[in-house]
Amino acid sequence: MTSAPPKSSVALASADLDRPLRAALPELARGAATLARLGISTPREALFYLPFRYDDFSELRPLGELIPDEKQSARARVIDLKVEKGFGRRPQRVIAQLADDTGTAEAIWFGRRYVETRLHAGDDVVVSGKVTLRGWRPQFTSPEFSPAGTTSMHTARVVPVYRLVGGVTQRRVREQLARILDRALPALDDPLRASERPDLPPLDEALRAAHFPEEAADVVGALDRLAFDELLALQLTLAQARRAREGQRAPRVTVDPAELDRLLAALPFQLTHDQRRAVDEIVVDLASERPMRRLLQGDVGSGKTAVAAVALAGVVRSGWQAALMAPTEILARQHHAGLAPLLDALGVRVEFLSGSLRTGRKQEVHAAIEAGEAEVVIGTHAVISEAVTFRNLGLAVVDEQHRFGVAQRAALQAKGLELEPHVLALTATPIPRTLALTFYGDLSISTIRELPPGRHPIRTELRDRGALPKIEAFLADEAAAGRQSFVVAPLVMESEALSAASAEAEAERLAAALPGLNVGLVHGQQRADLRDETMAAFVAGELDVLVATTVVEVGIDVPNASVMLIEDAERFGLAQLHQLRGRVGRGPHRSFCILLSNATDPLARRRLEVLRESSDGFVIAEADLALRGAGNLLGTRQSGLPPLRVASLFEPRHVALAERARELADRLVAEDPGLVRRPELARLRADFAAAEEEGDAA
Ligand code: ADP
Ligand code: MG
């Protein structure tokens, strides 16, 4: 830091960064409780609680020159302020009349915001917000405001917008974070040396600009730096895993070609060309002493499970045990249901293992696994990795439907085994090959692009909300024909609590609009058992319509579902929309995906049209990559991909950063495998691993 005079407050010591907020910064008082509600418990967590978006209010315009539908600011006098009481379902409204030399405008706030205690007729203020035209008059809807002539972190600048929970305001979060930044940033050590981050800013500068940029352009460099650190953490993880594996030996599992032919002949269908190639690639890897780490990627329904079945059976026929692990009980059960008939046809003995089995039964399965009698075991990650000792595990198939973590699970529990099992990861999130090599650098990749013959394409339509009554009638027709529908509720970016509320409201609305239909609801704020129960009821066909937020896993297979209705579709990533669409069209019925969107932005329309025009996950991923420009600052969380918060696989600048991070990580790990001489880097890596675990738990 150069010249800035010290603030009135003193900097924290670096040890304070990880102490409870209340202890490290007693003066925050109740502010600490506010932040705790957002999951922030230490100064360091506060520093890294990044905005998910910015509002650029830096343009200051006279009232007479306000531009409709733009975010902007104005300096004006409050001529009149009136509070209209709410009644029934109508919220209270506060309306201010504003004027300057050039014209007049109105500002309106809804709900109990206590605006009237902070704003009075005669005040000179700066207001910042989005303007719409009410007749001929410009109106600010719920603008931020501050007294004119003061500097404010809420108005007339680029303003950070944070994820919130109910009862916490942007204003309050901004104010608390600004106080913490002042005290805590000077205590933060930069994990990177200047030579390791050419043309990226130092960490403290990056964090300050990420929260409170002086101007919009500052955000890009700041987020690039934070993205780089995140990518470096990922690449350090991968580099360490690669290195750890160098010394490991896997069983040589040699699948006899004649035996392989027999297995393929026993399948109820002929493998597609892509499936067959994947099988051959796996068979080659299995015969090596180097542990296989292979990713099998292909769209939902492309036949990955069938490939896995052949691999599992091949391994068993060569005298080894094999396992398939899924992230949740429901998915494990579905894998079991899908695989058991195939493996049965191939003459392989399968055991299912899950936390919900009776203790006695569980012990039987454990014993069968230890004795080597269980040839293939299917279950959840937790059950298989923690509680079980295999006699001779040759292959572990992991379902990566909803997470990354291959690197972590590379150190798969192989207790009592001298040999490291081969690992095959299945993923239904296709990503372009160049990206895959960058982000899964330690994996080999098999790709299935071609779908098995005889699939009905899913018809995808783009509609606006005006079409809802017709769509509802369609849902009712489908229900009458015995089909089921998914409705993905409007996404509320600011908070999971709000999304849950909107899902609830949507479920109520649909239940009212569709009397006689059974409408269920699942969201991430429900108790897990209630959620599982509702899911199970939908799978069993007891519900006609399932309203869900996306946080809820819809990785389940419901062949009877024929409609996927996604509201506010423009707010989702293309990969995510494609995943959601893959939930239908899994049975013999004609299936539909309806993307509901009122977006008028041409780019948003174009993105949705990509989805209408293509059903190939790879084409969609590539189009997504091409359509996203520098405009997309924060990465959206994509299922099956690394849990990156800042970096995005679909941001070309970040892909370039990932390559740099990979080179740096290789060098750092080669010099100092445990990163013992670089504790800040070790911590970066550890924090990333912890974030991943948390993502897994969510
Ligand atoms: P994924 O695991 O990629 O979602 P699955 O392996 O579960 O796909 O296959 C989806 C469906 O297609 C299953 O019903 C499976 O039996 C069937 N299937 C898989 N491969 C073929 C094939 N080559 N020919 C015909 N049907 C196939
Ligand atoms: Mg499958």
Side-chain angles (χ1 to χ4, degrees), residues 546-564:
L546 184 68
V547 179
T549 58
T550 48
V551 289
V552 163
E553 171 173 19
V554 277
I556 50 164
D557 194 6
V558 186
N560 191 46
S562 61
V563 183
M564 168 60 69

Side-chain angles (χ1 to χ4, degrees), residues 268-272 275 298-307 335 338 342 426 428 448 451-453 455 557 586:
F269 42 72
Q270 193 177 2
L271 290 188
T272 62
Q275 284 175 311
D299 267 327
V300 166
S302 61
K304 298 180 296 297
T305 307
V307 170
H335 273 296
L342 285 178
L426 311 182
I448 307 181
L451 292 184
R455 284 297 149 78
D557 194 6
R586 299 167 72 86

Side-chain angles (χ1 to χ4, degrees), residues 568-588:
D568 292 351
E570 77 281 0
R571 298 212 196 180
F572 296 87
L574 283 191
Q576 204 176 10
L577 290 171
H578 179 62
Q579 289 285 314
L580 288 169
R581 177 168 63 179
R583 296 296 131 220
V584 297
R586 299 167 72 86

Side-chain angles (χ1 to χ4, degrees), residues 462-472 595-598:
L462 226 66
R463 293 279 182 271
D464 62 34
R465 292 197 75 85
L468 262 177
K470 268 198 192 150
I471 295 169
E472 283 156 8
L595 303 173
L596 209 58
S597 172
N598 278 9

Side-chain angles (χ1 to χ4, degrees), residues 190 192-203 205-206 217-226 228-229 653 656-657 660:
D190 196 320
L192 297 184
R193 299 174 182 152
S195 63
E196 292 167 342
R197 53 164 177 84
D199 58 75
L200 293 169
L203 184 58
E205 240 176 63
D218 297 346
V219 174
V220 177
L223 294 183
D224 278 357
R225 166 62 208 260
L226 299 174
F228 184 73
D229 284 17
R653 250 186 10 267
L657 287 177
R660 274 173 58 185

Side-chain angles (χ1 to χ4, degrees), residues 48-77:
F48 286 92
Y49 193 81
L50 299 176
F52 73 90
R53 147 168 94 77
Y54 301 86
D55 285 335
D56 188 350
F57 294 131
S58 44
E59 198 73 51
L60 200 62
R61 298 204 175 98
L63 294 182
E65 291 170 25
L66 290 174
I67 300 176
D69 300 321
E70 257 187 36
K71 289 168 183 169
Q72 59 213 301
S73 302
R75 189 190 156 127
R77 174 158 300 176

